[in-house]
Amino acid sequence: HIATGVHGRLARLDEKTIHAGVSALEDRSDAAIAEFRETLAGYRDLGADWRLAIVGLVMTSVLDVEQPEVRAAAESAREILSRLWAQPFLDHLNAVLAGQARALAPRRSAALQAVPTV
């Protein structure tokens, strides 16, 4: 937080989101799900819909979309992204959910980089 000058609960949640994504990429899905659960609750409490959508997108990119919590986060992300007319993000989400995750695998690191830091 010192390097960016961003402090507070939102910055801590952003950091935890990145950490959860890394946990998932390191095949520690149980830890990742627990961390994602915390970030989703925190963003929801703050009314940070865009960040909720990004977490859903990241979760579907790095975890098994058949897991109930991942599927629920994806559906929430779809609703938010549709409402915000965020078509490129919605296209990516729909592709992953349609079973094209393998084709999108090189984009997994890009999905983690898409997590807002502000």
Side-chain angles (χ1 to χ4, degrees), residues 20 23 28-36:
S23 293
R28 296 183 295 120
S29 59
D30 289 342
I33 291 284
E35 290 173 315
F36 280 128

Side-chain angles (χ1 to χ4, degrees), residues 13 17 22 24 33 37 39 51 53 55 79-80 88 92 100 104:
L13 289 168
T17 298
V22 170
I33 291 284
R37 190 180 302 128
T39 61
R51 282 177 165 86
V55 172
E79 183 274 322
I80 294 166
H92 178 81
Q100 298 174 13
L104 297 172

Side-chain angles (χ1 to χ4, degrees), residues 57 60-61 63-66 71 74-75 78 89-104:
L57 182 59
T60 61
S61 297
L63 292 168
D64 179 3
V65 297
E66 297 306 316
R71 180 63 67 169
E75 293 306 320
R78 175 182 281 141
F89 291 92
L90 191 56
D91 291 346
H92 178 81
L93 176 66
N94 288 332
V96 173
L97 292 176
Q100 298 174 13
R102 222 172 306 163
L104 297 172

Side-chain angles (χ1 to χ4, degrees), residues 36-91:
F36 280 128
R37 190 180 302 128
E38 287 180 46
T39 61
L40 289 168
Y43 289 141
R44 201 171 291 113
D45 287 347
L46 293 172
D49 284 354
W50 173 249
R51 282 177 165 86
L52 282 170
I54 294 300
V55 172
L57 182 59
V58 171
M59 288 176 75
T60 61
S61 297
V62 298
L63 292 168
D64 179 3
V65 297
E66 297 306 316
Q67 294 183 42
E69 287 185 84
V70 177
R71 180 63 67 169
E75 293 306 320
S76 175
R78 175 182 281 141
E79 183 274 322
I80 294 166
L81 295 169
S82 294
R83 184 168 32 92
L84 296 175
W85 296 11
Q87 196 60 49
F89 291 92
L90 191 56
D91 291 346

